[in-house]
Amino acid sequence: MIPAAFDYYRPKDLAGVLALLREHGDDARVMAGGHSLIPMMKLRMAEVPHLIDLQDVPGMSEILISDGKIRIGALVTQYEIIAHEGLAQSAPILREAAMQIADPQVRYMGTVGGNLANGDPGNDMPGLMQCLDAQFTLVGPDGERSVAAREFYEAAYLTARTDDEVLTEITISAPTGGYAYEKQKRKIGDYATAAAAVQITQSGGRCALASIAMTNLSDVPVWSQSAGSALVDTEVGGDAIKAAVAYMLDEIDPTEDNRGPVAFKRHVAGAILTRAIQRAWSRA
Amino acid sequence: MKDDVELTREDRVANLKGMGCARKRVEDARFTQGKGNYIDDINLPGMLHGDFVRSPYAHAKVVSINTEAAMALDGVIAVLTAKDLEPLSLHWMPTLAGDKQMVLADGKVLFQGQEVAFVVATDRYIAADAVELVEVEYEDLPVITDPFEALKSDIVLREDLAGQTSGAHGPRKHHNHIFTWEVGDEEATNQVMDEAEVVAEETMYYHRTHPCPLETCGSVASMDKVNGKLTVYGTFQAPHVVRTVASLLSGIEEHNIRVISPDIGGGFGNKVGVYPGYVCSIVASIVTGVPVKWVEDRMENLMSTAFARDYWMKGRISATKDGKITGLHCHVTADHGAFDACADPTKFPAGFMSVCTGSYDIPVAYLGVDGVYTNKAPGGVSYRCSFRVTEAVYFIERMIEVLAIELNMDAAELRRINFIGKDQFPYQSALGWEYDSGDYHTAWDKALKAVDYEGLRREQAERVTAFKQGETRSLMGIGLAFFTEIVGAGPVKNCDILGMGMFDSCEIRIHPTGSAIARLGTISQGQGHATTFAQILASEIGIPADSITIEEGDTDTAPYGLGTYGSRSTPVAGAATAMAGRKIRAKAQMIAAYLLEVHDDDVEFDVDRFVVKGAPERFKTMAEVAYAAYNQAIPGIEPGLEAVSYYDPPNMTYPFGAYVCVMDIDVDTGVPTIRRFYALDDCGTRINPMVIEGQIHGGLTEALAVALGQEIAYDDMGNVKTGTLMDFFLPTAWEVPNYETDHTVTPSPHHPIGAKGVGESPHVGGVPCFSNAVMDAFRAFGLRHSNMPHDHWRIWQTAQDLGLHK
């Protein structure tokens, strides 16, 4: 649990970060809270000769809500997500999900940006942001661009972000309707055996819109358009939920690990998603 | 001396904070303020740091080790391999179980994580970098992780034992076989089984797990070449034994070795044995002449230091059709890993597994144990239990449940009709133990009443009906366990480790002003000895516990003792403490009589003073006596007030308890929720109720861990799958239910203060209680048995196998 030697940088602005990335290329990594990267470095599974700490970069630690738009800086911690009353009003699913990430100590340090950019299939925020149809702002040598959360994840630890870019901000349209984040884990601090993020709006007792994503059941988060569509225009009864679950089960691809074999994970995915839909609908 | 304020007798008793007082732990002030002094806190001038190159393979030939690149790194002082240790005959070391174990890989490796080379550097970070630079060429060999396969396989794991048809515990049947150990009468047992009205059989696997103390193992060795003295600080549960073994191995005379166990952050059996890291730090210090520190990390601790359990147990239990048990047969295939490094008294290669007849009056029984080598880490320690008692109690408490299913009887009632009766103590068990005392029926009735057992069963039946009607997907389990522990090893006539008798000791010095220091041969790892042993003494000698320092762990100052594990501290060292206190009191009585100018027999001890019989206004306090002992010439009595006692217990002690767990199980996700846990413990005389409560909470939590998920799992290649706390289940406050504790008091008749030991009872009773709750939930659907650990997917699998996921 002792990392190899590395150089540590703490630039005062984003330009400084980008300059270091340009200089060191593959050998450099940016770090926000460090709660994924540092353990990997200690296990010597990640070799990072040049570690760039983002903590001193201004303008990346705020939560701004206006005109139905929520902007979350990449350095916002899970704790700040939970503590922010305005956010709890506009997008309560964020608090519900963040409460189920790790433990309080980790949440004081772990950031939304780090959780999203790392590309770890076990992280909760990627699936959640796909459910919310978030946009990620990436800043690189050629300026700024925006990538949809639903387009961002390519494979485990592989994302649309290039090595010389930094994820700086997440933008979400404030969701409406009912929500639920349902997660099964073995213990506090564990990754999900299965987790589901659901947002549903209803109109006249029927589902108007539904967005459904799941976590840690594939090498990337799984947002299933067809699962959501299966609920639309229904009263979200047993058959509709079964149909939505069936679509989702078609799209997930869990692997066996210490949490259990594939058949178990698929079964749990179905149970967790069913409960998430039911809870979200009860709040819609 | 101090004051003349008139205190009532009650006040004087309260001032002592003696036995029975819920005195706050004196250790906690430093632990809660980060002022503890653990191994990694010890930093000596010029100290070097060691780190291991470990095997990635579970079984491989070591073709070559190239240390050139590592040695070339700035700050690297040495890289030790077996070749360097061989001239000192330290490349192998004896184990506690009569086997031998490689200190560093000698031509081959036998388990993943095995120590291959020891790097010594000026800085901990440089040592870690150098480990990466040591080039080891391996040639992999076929791996055996299954003990049954090992006994059939042509693959020889231990070539060093080639041709040895006999080991430390008798004949070996196969090159991967270690020993066979048999207790009881197999023929008579088989005959009873053949003639029985009912026989229930079950095979169960008690999985491999690990004690996982919060502080990992480590040592700091310091060889002073000028005065020839070796000082070793280490995470040792038995520092005196370490000193003796170190002397025998190194040839350094024992008076030139000082072993110090500083604060220890939990042991649970993990810190009983001797590890290669200790040996290598000592050798490196001898070679370099400066102190060398070695502290393992969490992964190393889980992968390479002593595991617990790994018992395949096959049982048969016979009974009359109305449930009276007539016989018990048990066979164990014990996976000991690559070397037999079990921590057991010499004559007991399967520890006290022979207490597997449990709390029941079973007339005939047999136990056979076969120890087997595999490509797994060595160990087999008593994880928060007396030697293999957890395995024994799990076994019998499962067999009782299986028999209840076979008989279609209530498992609580089946226990009740088979308990050893109160009037049967001392009770001679079929497998040779003499249970000193017990009152099982009273404890059981109290427990069942406390939880409204009948009401719980009614609720459970309603739940089953609702489940069958599709109204719920949750089942309810009622876990029962009644355990009898056997602790306090032990009588020297049959208990020794490496030939060293398992007595223990206490030495007391009373200071002239009436305070005291007592030193013991044990060593606290969190048990609170500094708190509780002072309480024993306070009651025995009338000096307030707050005025008594308890010291342990330094072999230069403490009297010889066998250390702390197997709940032996209170039964053995606690007894020594009381006996030494009584020696103090006897001398003090003579001094008091002299001061009061009466005959010795005319004074009596009363709380904190000696009073003249019939004239309580005439007295001398213990403080006054202490002052006189040092400062007054008393004819016929030598100055001073000190005593030492070495206590060889006449018997073991037998704590017992009755536990009930109520659990809800989500059939679709396999998630268990513990709704209630009631624990009644009878540990005899209770020294400090608060410390007992803490011990019970801790032991139950470790029981929950083992029953519900904690394991050291290997894949077919012998890779450890659970090498970090991500996968190795260590419960947090979140996973732990609220515990309800209760007690009865049945003092041990042979212990000076009647105490029996308690630290391990909750673990021993808790594991079957949590497990039985899981399995009981499925009893109505035809489940007989399913193996631990009952983590989510295995519970789900049980439901799946029973067709509950349609």
Side-chain angles (χ1 to χ4, degrees):
Chain A
M1 295 299 281
I2 290 183
F6 57 89
D7 288 329
Y8 176 79
Y9 307 87
R10 203 174 169 113
K12 297 286 180 200
D13 53 34
L14 200 54
V17 174
L18 295 175
L20 285 164
L21 284 174
R22 197 159 47 238
E23 184 184 345
H24 299 292
D26 275 3
D27 283 348
R29 287 281 298 272
V30 298
M31 177 185 81
H35 275 53
S36 295
L37 185 57
I38 289 184
M40 297 297 269
M41 289 169 67
K42 285 182 164 185
L43 291 166
R44 298 196 177 214
M45 290 165 84
E47 202 182 335
V48 183
H50 301 278
L51 183 67
I52 307 165
D53 192 337
L54 297 176
Q55 290 297 334
D56 282 354
V57 176
M60 287 172 64
S61 306
E62 280 164 296
I63 298 170
L64 300 169
I65 306 169
S66 68
D67 299 333
K69 284 278 175 205
I70 300 168
R71 288 162 59 204
I72 302 171
L75 294 184
V76 168
T77 63
Q78 310 294 354
Y79 164 76
E80 287 161 344
I81 293 279
I82 292 165
H84 198 281
E85 286 306 325
L87 199 56
Q89 293 292 318
S90 323
I93 193 170
L94 287 172
R95 177 184 280 183
E96 184 161 300
M99 286 290 287
Q100 298 179 63
I101 294 176
D103 55 60
Q105 282 177 304
V106 172
R107 297 198 292 253
Y108 281 124
M109 290 298 291
T111 64
V112 177
N115 194 293
L116 289 171
N118 201 34
D120 186 335
N123 283 349
D124 290 277
M125 286 288 164
L128 177 60
M129 292 301 170
Q130 290 195 343
C131 170
L132 295 172
D133 198 14
Q135 293 287 320
F136 300 160
T137 303
L138 301 173
V139 178
D142 303 328
E144 193 177 297
R145 65 183 179 121
S146 184
V147 179
R150 292 173 189 172
E151 308 291 329
F152 190 70
Y153 296 96
E154 293 165 357
Y157 304 102
L158 261 185
T159 67
R161 186 185 63 85
T162 57
D163 284 341
D164 53 4
E165 286 181 311
V166 179
L167 192 161
T168 58
E169 191 175 69
I170 299 99
T171 311
I172 307 162
S173 297
T176 53
Y179 65 93
Y181 195 79
E182 184 88 20
K183 180 178 181 180
Q184 180 168 340
K185 54 188 172 182
R186 296 171 297 179
K187 57 178 178 179
I188 286 297
D190 193 18
Y191 290 133
T193 301
V198 177
Q199 283 281 162
I200 301 182
T201 54
Q202 65 122 342
S203 166
R206 303 181 82 82
C207 170
L209 276 171
S211 178
I212 298 174
M214 294 197 79
T215 285
N216 216 17
L217 292 162
S218 182
D219 66 341
V220 289
V222 179
W223 175 74
S224 168
Q225 185 162 20
S226 32
S229 301
L231 300 179
V232 173
D233 274 341
T234 75
E235 291 173 352
V236 192
D239 288 345
I241 294 175
K242 269 187 191 153
V245 167
Y247 280 119
M248 178 58 84
L249 292 182
D250 270 351
E251 294 186 38
I252 62 172
D253 183 20
T255 51
E256 176 168 343
D257 59 19
N258 287 323
R259 292 175 189 82
V262 171
F264 163 70
K265 289 189 172 184
R266 294 182 63 80
H267 192 104
V268 169
I272 291 295
L273 180 54
T274 300
R275 288 170 198 187
I277 294 171
Q278 285 167 342
R279 195 161 82 237
W281 180 243
S282 74
R283 288 163 165 172
Chain B
M1 294 280 299
K2 284 180 191 157
D3 55 67
D4 298 305
V5 182
E6 273 305 314
L7 294 173
T8 64
R9 189 172 190 279
E10 211 174 24
D11 288 339
R12 292 192 282 121
V13 170
N15 282 349
L16 290 181
K17 297 189 188 169
M19 291 209 295
C21 171
R23 183 186 184 216
K24 283 188 180 163
R25 283 166 38 109
V26 297
E27 297 91 339
D28 290 345
R30 71 176 190 278
F31 292 153
T32 55
Q33 294 179 58
K35 302 289 186 193
N37 184 40
Y38 299 95
I39 279 298
D40 214 13
D41 295 320
I42 292 168
N43 290 301
L44 303 177
M47 189 174 76
L48 302 174
H49 298 264
D51 195 1
F52 278 112
V53 176
R54 293 179 181 274
S55 171
Y57 295 98
H59 195 196
K61 206 173 142 190
V62 176
V63 179
S64 66
I65 303 174
N66 184 345
T67 63
E68 262 174 53
M71 284 300 292
L73 189 66
D74 239 9
V76 174
I77 305 296
V79 181
L80 301 178
T81 65
K83 279 204 179 79
D84 303 304
L85 300 184
E86 194 170 355
L88 305 166
S89 294
L90 285 174
H91 54 320
W92 287 73
M93 63 179 181
T95 69
L96 295 179
D99 194 4
K100 56 180 178 160
Q101 172 179 354
M102 288 179 212
V103 173
L104 291 172
D106 184 19
K108 73 183 292 194
V109 288
L110 283 155
F111 65 93
Q112 189 184 48
Q114 188 178 333
E115 298 80 1
V116 175
F118 188 68
V119 173
V120 183
T122 51
D123 179 283
R124 182 66 187 87
Y125 286 80
I126 294 173
D129 288 343
V131 162
E132 304 262 295
L133 296 174
V134 175
E135 294 159 20
V136 185
E137 194 189 332
Y138 298 96
E139 191 180 297
D140 60 339
L141 296 167
V143 172
I144 306 178
T145 56
D146 177 299
F148 299 100
E149 190 197 321
L151 288 178
K152 288 181 284 188
S153 174
D154 293 337
I155 300 159
V156 180
L157 300 180
R158 293 285 300 274
E159 287 94 345
D160 61 292
L161 301 177
Q164 292 189 23
T165 53
S166 196
H169 306 290
R172 298 171 64 218
K173 296 185 227 172
H174 180 270
H175 52 252
N176 295 327
H177 179 252
I178 309 171
F179 64 83
T180 298
W181 187 56
E182 291 180 291
V183 194
D185 188 336
E186 186 169 28
E187 202 182 314
T189 306
N190 284 337
Q191 195 179 336
V192 164
M193 300 275 159
D194 291 345
E195 293 163 3
E197 292 172 357
V198 180
V199 178
E201 288 189 42
E202 193 54 67
T203 299
M204 56 195 90
Y205 177 48
Y206 198 143
H207 61 289
R208 176 176 281 231
T209 183
H210 193 282
C212 194
L214 285 187
E215 181 202 26
T216 59
C217 298
S219 57
V220 178
S222 177
M223 182 75 207
D224 184 331
K225 290 201 165 174
V226 176
N227 64 19
K229 297 227 180 237
L230 171 67
T231 305
V232 186
Y233 302 83
T235 45
F236 307 133
Q237 288 183 234
H240 300 272
V241 179
V242 170
R243 185 186 69 191
T244 301
V245 172
S247 174
L248 292 172
L249 285 184
S250 67
I252 301 172
E253 283 192 87
E254 204 167 350
H255 73 283
N256 276 332
I257 302 177
R258 180 181 185 187
V259 174
I260 299 173
S261 294
D263 284 330
I264 297 182
F268 314 114
N270 185 237
K271 294 166 180 171
V272 171
V274 173
Y275 295 121
Y278 303 157
V279 178
C280 287
S281 68
I282 292 171
V283 172
S285 181
I286 292 172
V287 170
T288 60
V290 289
V292 177
K293 177 189 275 187
W294 165 74
V295 178
E296 65 185 2
D297 69 24
R298 177 64 56 200
M299 291 170 72
E300 293 179 294
N301 179 253
L302 288 172
M303 274 173 94
S304 70
T305 61
F307 74 92
R309 323 286 152 84
D310 216 342
Y311 261 28
W312 291 88
M313 303 184 283
K314 194 171 173 2
R316 275 185 296 153
I317 190 165
S318 61
T320 62
K321 55 182 183 303
D322 50 3
K324 187 78 190 97
I325 299 169
T326 56
L328 180 73
H329 190 287
C330 176
H331 182 267
V332 179
T333 301
D335 185 340
H336 283 221
F339 308 99
D340 186 11
C342 256
D344 290 317
T346 305
K347 288 174 197 161
F348 301 92
F352 302 149
M353 181 66 199
S354 50
V355 79
C356 66
T357 52
S359 314
Y360 311 103
D361 184 13
I362 302 179
V364 189
Y366 166 80
L367 166 69
V369 182
D370 282 296
V372 185
Y373 291 121
T374 60
N375 289 120
K376 297 182 184 172
V381 292
S382 321
Y383 168 12
R384 205 170 184 137
C385 66
S386 192
F387 311 100
R388 299 288 187 184
V389 174
T390 304
E391 290 89 324
V393 171
Y394 176 78
F395 171 77
I396 185 66
E397 289 303 287
R398 281 308 304 153
M399 289 311 294
I400 289 283
E401 294 282 323
V402 169
L403 180 62
I405 292 167
E406 191 76 36
L407 290 163
N408 195 25
M409 245 182 105
D410 177 80
E413 182 59 18
L414 180 60
R415 283 178 175 86
R416 186 202 313 275
I417 63 174
N418 285 289
F419 281 143
I420 298 162
K422 188 182 175 183
D423 55 358
Q424 287 177 275
F425 292 94
Y427 173 81
Q428 206 66 41
S429 84
L431 294 178
W433 296 107
E434 185 183 295
Y435 290 27
D436 66 347
S437 59
D439 183 357
Y440 300 163
H441 289 93
T442 300
W444 196 230
D445 290 345
K446 189 174 178 183
L448 297 183
K449 192 168 169 222
V451 298
D452 181 19
Y453 180 67
E454 300 298 324
L456 288 174
R457 285 292 179 203
R458 277 194 301 276
E459 187 190 346
Q460 184 186 40
E462 286 162 15
R463 185 79 70 84
V464 168
T465 306
F467 184 90
K468 286 178 175 167
Q469 291 170 350
E471 293 159 11
T472 179
R473 294 295 293 160
S474 166
L475 291 174
M476 175 179 161
I478 303 167
L480 303 176
F482 196 100
F483 65 91
T484 296
E485 262 232 284
I486 170 169
V487 307
V492 172
K493 64 178 186 288
N494 52 20
C495 288
D496 70 86
I497 285 186
L498 293 176
M500 282 167 272
M502 297 183 73
F503 60 84
D504 228 289
S505 59
C506 176
E507 181 191 281
I508 304 169
R509 294 180 187 180
I510 311 294
H511 304 317
T513 51
S515 64
I517 183 165
R519 296 188 172 99
L520 291 88
T522 44
I523 175 70
S524 180
Q525 304 124 39
Q527 290 88 343
H529 290 177
T531 306
T532 50
F533 287 139
Q535 291 182 252
I536 296 176
L537 263 188
S539 291
E540 289 290 339
I541 63 176
I543 290 175
D546 289 344
S547 299
I548 302 171
T549 296
I550 298 291
E551 215 179 78
E552 303 173 302
D554 182 341
T555 59
D556 264 11
T557 55
Y560 204 97
L562 269 275
T564 295
Y565 39 88
S567 286
R568 67 184 299 280
S569 297
T570 294
V572 192
T577 303
M579 299 308 270
R582 286 170 197 183
K583 288 182 186 177
I584 295 278
R585 214 164 76 192
K587 182 172 178 182
Q589 181 160 346
M590 292 192 283
I591 297 169
Y594 173 81
L595 297 175
L596 291 163
E597 298 178 334
V598 294
H599 189 272
D600 293 356
D601 294 342
D602 291 332
V603 295
E604 61 188 358
F605 183 69
D606 180 51
V607 186
D608 57 354
R609 62 190 56 180
F610 290 93
V611 299
V612 176
K613 285 180 185 166
E617 73 286 358
R618 291 185 62 205
F619 65 86
K620 289 289 172 189
T621 63
M622 188 53 100
E624 289 172 310
V625 170
Y627 197 80
Y630 287 94
N631 300 313
Q632 196 164 339
I634 300 171
I637 297 179
E638 64 183 47
L641 195 52
E642 300 187 3
V644 59
S645 173
Y646 282 77
Y647 187 80
D648 178 10
N651 189 4
M652 314 286 286
T653 61
Y654 296 79
F656 60 91
Y659 291 177
V660 183
C661 174
V662 185
M663 192 183 274
D664 293 313
I665 287 179
D666 182 333
V667 171
D668 288 318
T669 61
V671 175
T673 305
I674 297 149
R675 203 201 305 168
R676 194 167 178 193
F677 198 101
Y678 169 91
L680 180 150
D681 274 273
D682 191 322
C683 58
T685 303
R686 293 158 61 82
I687 299 166
N688 183 326
M690 189 166 63
V691 168
I692 291 172
E693 177 104 354
Q695 288 274 31
I696 289 169
H697 284 209
L700 288 175
T701 300
E702 283 180 319
L704 174 146
V706 170
L708 300 185
Q710 184 180 84
E711 64 174 325
I712 296 288
Y714 288 83
D715 69 13
D716 291 343
M717 298 300 291
N719 298 307
V720 178
K721 291 160 65 184
T722 52
T724 74
L725 297 186
M726 169 66 85
D727 288 310
F728 184 85
F729 177 39
L730 210 57
T732 69
W734 187 264
E735 287 83 23
V736 174
N738 183 43
Y739 298 122
E740 301 165 50
T741 57
D742 203 346
H743 63 275
T744 56
V745 178
T746 310
S748 167
H750 61 78
H751 188 276
I753 59 169
K756 295 182 174 181
V758 73
E760 300 168 332
S761 292
H763 191 69
V764 166
V767 174
C769 191
F770 286 112
S771 300
N772 282 344
V774 174
M775 290 182 255
D776 181 70
F778 295 104
R779 179 174 168 175
F781 300 89
L783 180 71
R784 267 174 76 95
H785 176 79
S786 60
N787 284 326
M788 292 188 290
H790 301 289
D791 51 9
H792 298 170
W793 84 258
R794 288 180 174 99
I795 291 177
W796 175 86
Q797 191 66 52
T798 297
Q800 176 79 357
D801 293 345
L802 293 170
L804 304 181
H805 293 142
K806 275 170 281 179

